[in-house]
Amino acid sequence: MATVSLKNLVKKYGSLEVVHAINLDVADREFVALVGPSGCGKSTTLRMIAGLEPISGGHIHIGDRAVNDLPPRQRNISMVFQSYAIYPHMTVAENMGFSLKIAGRSQQEIASAVADAARTLGLEELLERRPSQLSGGQRQRVAMGRAIVRHPDVFLFDEPLSNLDAKLRMQMRTEIKKLHAKVQSTMIYVTHDQVEAMTLADRIVIMRDGHIEQVGPPEEVFRRPATRFVAGFIGSPTMNLRDATVDDGRLRFANGDTLPLPGQFRNRVTAGQKVIFGLRPDDLYPTGHGIHSGEAADVHAVEVPVSLTEPLGNETLVFAEFAGDDWISRMLNPQPLRSGDRVELSFDLSQSHLFDANTEKSLRG
Amino acid sequence: MRGWKPAPHVLLLLPAFVVLAAVVIVPLLLSLYSSFTPFRLTRPETIYEFIGLRNYIRLFADREFWAAFGRTVLLLTVALNVEMVLGLFLALLVEKATRGQRLLRTIMMFPMMFSPILVGFQFKFMFNDNIGLVNNALQSLGLTDQAIPWLIDGKLAFTSILIAEVWSSTSVFAIFILAGLMAMPKEPLEAAKVDGCTPWQSFRYVTWPFIMPFAYIAMTIRSLDIARAYDIVKIMTDGGPAKRTEILWTLISRTAYSDARMGLANAMAYVAILLSILFTVMFFRQLAKARQQIGAEW
Ligand SMILES: Nc1ncnc2c1ncn2[C@@H]1O[C@H](COP(=O)(O)OP(=O)(O)O)[C@@H](O)[C@H]1O
Ligand SMILES: [Mg+2]
C-alpha cells in the first residue's frame, strides 16, 4: 500500500512561506498531477515528499509510515528530475543499476533488472553508452529507467518532459501512461502544462501561490472549475472570462451589452451582484458550426463583427467582438471568414460558468 | 639588404622573437651545453672544454645525488598526499559554510600569499629547539619536559620541512577542489540521495569522480612546485643536519655556487627537470582520463 498523504504541509524559506498548509491524499496506484503556473510551489511540494527539502510544518505519510524526518533513502521513492540528473561518469547500465548496487543486490539481479527496464524503455542498444553520447530524449529514458528498476512505492516526476521538443514530448507522454498501466505504482507528476496533466492523471491538483485551488479528475476540473483561476488555467484555448453585473435577470457587461442570466444560476445570484461570466470557446460558436450540449433553448445568438481568425485546418478559432472585447470562439467545419465580416455567434449558456467577483469562487454550488 | 622586404607581420613579431630568444632560448641552450663541460665558475676557460656525457655518467654513480633525488621524490609523495587529504577536507568544510564563505576562501588563501622564504623563517623560528613556539607550547602543556631537537635530528627536520610545505600549499588543493565542488551540478547528488545513498556513498560515487580532475590539476601544479622546492629547505635547514634533508635543488645550488662546479650542477638540473616532466605527464594522463570519465566539456 503506497498511499501518500499530506497534512497541513508548510514550507518556509526563512520568513517567506511558499507552501501554505496544504492537504492532499493520494490513493494507492493513483496517478496525480500537480499543475500550476511557474513558481506556485509544485516542485517544492514534490521535493518535500521526496525528502530533499525539509518541511516547515505539517505531516507527510507514505503508506502508514510518517516520513517527516526520514532521509530520502528511507522513503522508498524514485524521482525523475527535470534536468534528468543522470550520473555523467556512469554508463547507461550503471546509471540504471546504481540504486540496486547501493542496496547491495547481486550482480546478476542488477543485470536482469536493468535488462528488464531497458526492454520496457527501448534502451537495449544503448546500455554501454555514456550520457554524453545520448540525445535529450534518450537521457530522459535513462532517467525513467533509473526510476523504475527499483520498484519504488512512489514515483515522483518533476516536469520530466519540459526539456523535450513538442513531438518527443507527446511520444513520451504516451509512454509514461503505458508505464503507469504496467508498473501499477503510485505516481505524483509535476507539470506546468495543463495538457500533460489532463492527459496523464487520474486526478489533477491545481496549485496557485502555494495553495491548492482544486482537486479532481480531469473531466471534473474541466467541466466544473471551482474558481476563476482554475477556469482560466485549464483548457486550451482559454475560457472567455468577463466581468458582469446581475441586472433584472440578465448579465450586464461593462459597455452595457447583456446576455440572459443562464438558467442554472437563476436562484444563486442576487440583483446587483458583481460576477465573472465564463464560457469556453467550445461553447461559443458561429451558428451552425458547433454543437450545443444542453437544451436548444439555452443557446443565445448574437450577431457580431469578426476581428481575427486562426485557421487550424479541421477548425478555426474566430476572435469576434462582443461587449467591447474580443471573445474566442471555435468554429467546426470552418468556412472562410475575414476580419470585418459579420457572423452570428451561438452562446451555449447551459455550459457557462459564473464566479463571484469578490471570492472568485464558482456560484454553481 | 635592399631587395629583402619581410612581410609586415613578420617584421612586427621580430622584436618579440629576439627578446624571447635572448632571455629563454640562449640561456637554456647555454646551460644545456655547459652540462657537457667541466665548467667551473672559478676557471671560466673550462667552458670551452667539451667532455661529452662525462658529467651525466658521474651523476649515475653519485650516491649523494641519488639520495637527494630520492628525498625529493619522498617529500613530493608525502606532501602531495597529505595536502590532498587536508585540502579535500578544507574544501568540503568551506563548501558547507552557508555564511561568510567568501571570507573563509580569502583566509584559506593566506598561506599562499607568503613568500616561501618567509614561510621558511617562520617555521625555522617555530621549530627552534630553544626559543621555538612548538617546544614552548609542548612544554607548557606538560606533554614533554625536554627540548625536542626539531631541526637538528634528521628525521624530525624532514618532518618539520614537510609541515612547512603542507602549511603553505594545502590551500592550492583546497581551492581547486572547492572550485570543482562549486561547479558541480547539484541534481546528480539529489538523485543519489533518492537512489538510496548515504552521505558517504554520495561522496564516494558521485562527488569524488566529479572533483577528481580538479585534484589532478592541483597535483600537477604542486608536483612541479615541490620538484623545484628550494627556499623553505634552504632557510630551515640548508640541507642539514649532515645533508639529511638535502633535496635536489639545495644540492644543485651548492654544487653550482659553493663548489663552483657549474657544469655538473647543470647536468643535475637537467636530470631534475626530467623528474618534473615525468610527474607532469603522469598527472596529465590521469587528468585526461578523469575528465573523459565525467564527460567534462572543458
Ligand atoms: N531555495 C529557495 N529559497 C527561497 N525561495 C525559494 C527557494 N526555492 C524555491 N523558492 C520559491 O518558492 C516558490 C515555489 O518554487 P517552486 O516550488 O520551485 O515552484 P514551481 O511551482 O515552479 O515548481 C517560488 O516563489 C520560489 O521563488
Ligand atoms: Mg518547478
Side-chain angles (χ1 to χ4, degrees):
Chain A
M1 273 292 283
T3 57
V4 176
S5 121
L6 315 181
K7 290 204 180 65
N8 294 319
L9 187 62
V10 176
K11 178 67 194 182
K12 288 184 191 162
Y13 287 110
S15 60
L16 179 72
E17 190 170 300
V18 297
V19 173
H20 315 286
I22 59 171
N23 288 287
L24 179 67
D25 282 300
V26 181
D28 186 31
R29 299 179 185 184
E30 193 178 20
F31 195 127
V32 165
L34 300 185
V35 65
S38 181
C40 70
K42 311 176 295 285
S43 297
T44 306
T45 305
L46 195 75
R47 292 167 55 81
M48 286 192 285
I49 299 172
L52 292 171
E53 236 18 285
I55 67 178
S56 317
H59 299 276
I60 302 177
H61 289 261
I62 297 179
D64 37 26
R65 278 196 310 162
V67 298
N68 287 10
D69 302 314
L70 292 186
R73 65 174 188 278
Q74 290 171 16
R75 297 190 182 195
N76 199 22
I77 43 153
S78 278
M79 182 154 170
V80 179
F81 295 80
Q82 178 171 3
S83 57
Y84 314 143
I86 296 176
Y87 309 121
H89 54 292
M90 298 183 199
T91 63
V92 169
E94 286 166 345
N95 260 286
M96 297 210 290
F98 184 64
S99 60
L100 299 181
K101 175 175 156 186
I102 292 298
R105 304 287 185 77
S106 73
Q107 291 278 343
Q108 243 177 346
E109 233 178 318
I110 296 176
S112 88
V114 168
D116 268 356
R119 204 167 319 116
T120 309
L121 292 162
L123 285 170
E124 290 123 308
E125 310 293 313
L126 306 176
L127 284 177
E128 292 315 312
R129 295 242 193 123
R130 282 188 188 278
S132 55
Q133 301 166 308
L134 300 178
S135 71
Q138 291 167 335
R139 286 182 207 195
Q140 216 284 326
R141 275 163 209 270
V142 175
M144 303 254 293
R146 195 170 59 182
I148 63 177
V149 284
R150 46 194 302 233
H151 299 289
D153 287 339
V154 183
F155 281 94
L156 305 175
F157 296 89
D158 191 357
E159 311 220 9
L161 306 185
S162 61
N163 287 344
L164 301 181
D165 62 55
K167 199 169 158 191
L168 209 50
R169 200 176 321 162
M170 252 171 69
Q171 195 182 329
M172 285 309 292
R173 207 164 71 198
T174 323
E175 300 215 6
I176 291 178
K177 198 155 192 173
K178 280 192 205 149
L179 184 70
H180 181 236
K182 183 157 181 242
V183 302
Q184 297 269 317
S185 290
T186 309
M187 294 192 175
I188 303 180
Y189 188 104
V190 161
T191 176
H192 65 268
D193 179 355
Q194 51 105 9
V195 180
E196 246 171 53
M198 295 283 285
T199 49
L200 285 172
D202 297 324
R203 272 194 311 155
I204 297 183
V205 177
I206 295 128
M207 290 187 69
R208 177 197 190 186
D209 293 343
H211 293 284
I212 291 182
E213 288 268 314
Q214 187 174 2
V215 182
E219 174 83 2
E220 183 181 310
V221 294
F222 184 80
R223 295 221 168 276
R224 307 171 68 88
T227 65
R228 188 215 126 102
F229 175 80
V230 174
F233 191 79
I234 299 288
S236 168
T238 52
M239 186 187 285
N240 298 294
L241 288 161
R242 296 293 180 275
D243 291 329
T245 312
V246 178
D247 180 10
D248 193 18
R250 296 185 76 81
L251 292 168
R252 184 176 300 285
F253 296 97
N255 76 335
D257 284 350
T258 63
L259 281 177
L261 182 63
Q264 68 269 35
F265 296 109
R266 197 146 290 154
N267 300 323
R268 302 190 175 275
V269 294
T270 52
Q273 187 174 356
K274 300 243 181 277
V275 295
I276 299 157
F277 173 78
L279 191 63
R280 293 205 184 275
D282 314 62
D283 304 314
L284 175 64
Y285 46 86
T287 304
H289 291 274
I291 309 156
H292 57 86
S293 321
E295 303 284 320
D298 288 331
V299 179
H300 179 80
V302 184
E303 195 183 272
V304 295
V306 172
S307 15
L308 175 73
T309 60
E310 284 182 1
L312 298 173
N314 56 342
E315 63 185 37
T316 293
L317 298 182
V318 179
F319 293 72
E321 197 183 321
F322 176 68
D325 203 355
D326 276 350
W327 294 53
I328 309 179
S329 84
R330 182 172 254 156
M331 181 186 206
L332 303 181
N333 302 319
Q335 303 285 309
L337 276 179
R338 276 195 268 161
S339 71
D341 289 354
R342 290 192 75 81
V343 66
E344 190 187 271
L345 278 191
S346 289
F347 290 72
D348 184 357
L349 297 178
S350 69
Q351 302 304 309
S352 68
H353 304 268
L354 272 195
F355 304 95
D356 184 274
N358 294 320
T359 63
E360 303 206 335
K361 293 222 161 70
S362 174
L363 291 167
R364 193 190 305 271
Chain B
M1 283 297 277
R2 276 186 62 95
W4 191 70
K5 265 217 186 125
H9 62 273
V10 174
L11 207 60
L12 286 169
L13 284 173
L14 208 57
F17 277 118
V18 170
V19 171
L20 258 181
V23 305
V24 178
I25 299 171
V26 170
L28 212 61
L29 287 178
L30 196 66
S31 68
L32 182 62
Y33 164 75
S34 79
S35 74
F36 298 113
T37 68
F39 181 39
R40 281 169 175 270
L41 288 176
T42 46
R43 289 166 48 209
E45 74 283 0
T46 48
I47 197 164
Y48 300 112
E49 192 181 326
F50 190 79
I51 55 167
L53 289 172
R54 211 184 303 158
N55 278 331
Y56 289 92
I57 293 163
R58 247 183 83 170
L59 275 187
F60 274 96
D62 186 348
R63 302 190 63 153
E64 212 170 88
F65 174 76
W66 288 111
F69 189 95
R71 228 171 264 126
T72 307
V73 173
L74 180 71
L75 181 67
L76 201 152
T77 317
V78 179
L80 281 192
N81 279 293
V82 174
E83 288 174 19
M84 167 77 212
V85 171
L86 290 180
L88 177 64
F89 190 68
L90 260 181
L92 288 172
L93 274 184
V94 171
E95 208 245 349
K96 281 268 176 293
T98 45
R99 283 197 199 179
Q101 208 189 76
R102 229 169 229 270
L103 185 70
L104 283 176
R105 286 205 298 260
T106 314
I107 293 175
M108 205 165 72
M109 290 188 63
F110 272 173
M112 285 170 72
M113 298 173 194
F114 288 88
S115 129
I117 299 208
L118 205 60
V119 175
F121 276 120
Q122 174 190 323
F123 277 87
K124 186 176 187 173
F125 166 68
M126 294 215 301
F127 283 117
N128 185 291
D129 51 340
N130 282 321
I131 54 163
L133 278 180
V134 177
N135 275 350
N136 234 311
L138 290 177
Q139 284 165 1
S140 309
L141 289 172
L143 294 176
T144 173
D145 52 1
Q146 49 201 330
I148 299 171
W150 287 109
L151 298 174
I152 294 164
D153 176 86
K155 283 212 177 87
L156 284 179
F158 190 79
T159 313
S160 307
I161 289 170
L162 188 70
I163 291 174
E165 268 295 338
V166 168
W167 180 85
S168 72
S169 300
T170 290
S171 42
V172 175
F173 276 88
I175 281 165
F176 273 97
I177 292 174
L178 186 61
L181 286 173
M182 291 183 4
M184 184 172 147
K186 294 292 165 272
E187 290 87 357
L189 269 184
E190 299 197 323
K193 281 190 199 168
V194 172
D195 270 348
C197 285
T198 59
W200 162 248
Q201 287 168 323
S202 298
F203 175 78
R204 162 81 184 70
Y205 292 110
V206 182
T207 309
W208 177 241
F210 198 89
I211 56 179
M212 222 151 57
F214 294 84
Y216 280 127
I217 295 175
M219 283 205 192
T220 313
I221 293 177
R222 284 294 297 148
S223 70
L224 289 180
D225 267 0
I226 302 182
R228 290 178 309 162
Y230 174 69
D231 328 43
I232 291 184
V233 183
K234 173 77 186 167
I235 302 293
M236 282 178 74
T237 63
D238 196 12
K243 303 196 171 170
R244 298 292 269 301
T245 57
E246 188 88 296
I247 57 169
L248 275 175
W249 288 95
T250 52
L251 176 66
I252 292 169
S253 88
R254 195 184 321 282
T255 311
Y257 298 102
S258 307
D259 306 352
R261 299 200 309 201
M262 198 50 119
L264 183 63
N266 273 327
M268 289 177 173
Y270 275 92
V271 176
I273 287 168
L274 282 183
L275 177 71
S276 296
I277 293 176
L278 195 79
F279 273 102
T280 309
V281 168
M282 189 177 94
F283 287 126
F284 262 48
R285 286 235 173 108
Q286 299 290 333
L287 172 65
K289 219 165 74 189
R291 270 179 51 191
Q292 196 213 356
Q293 275 241 324
I294 60 162
E297 271 148 23
W298 39 272

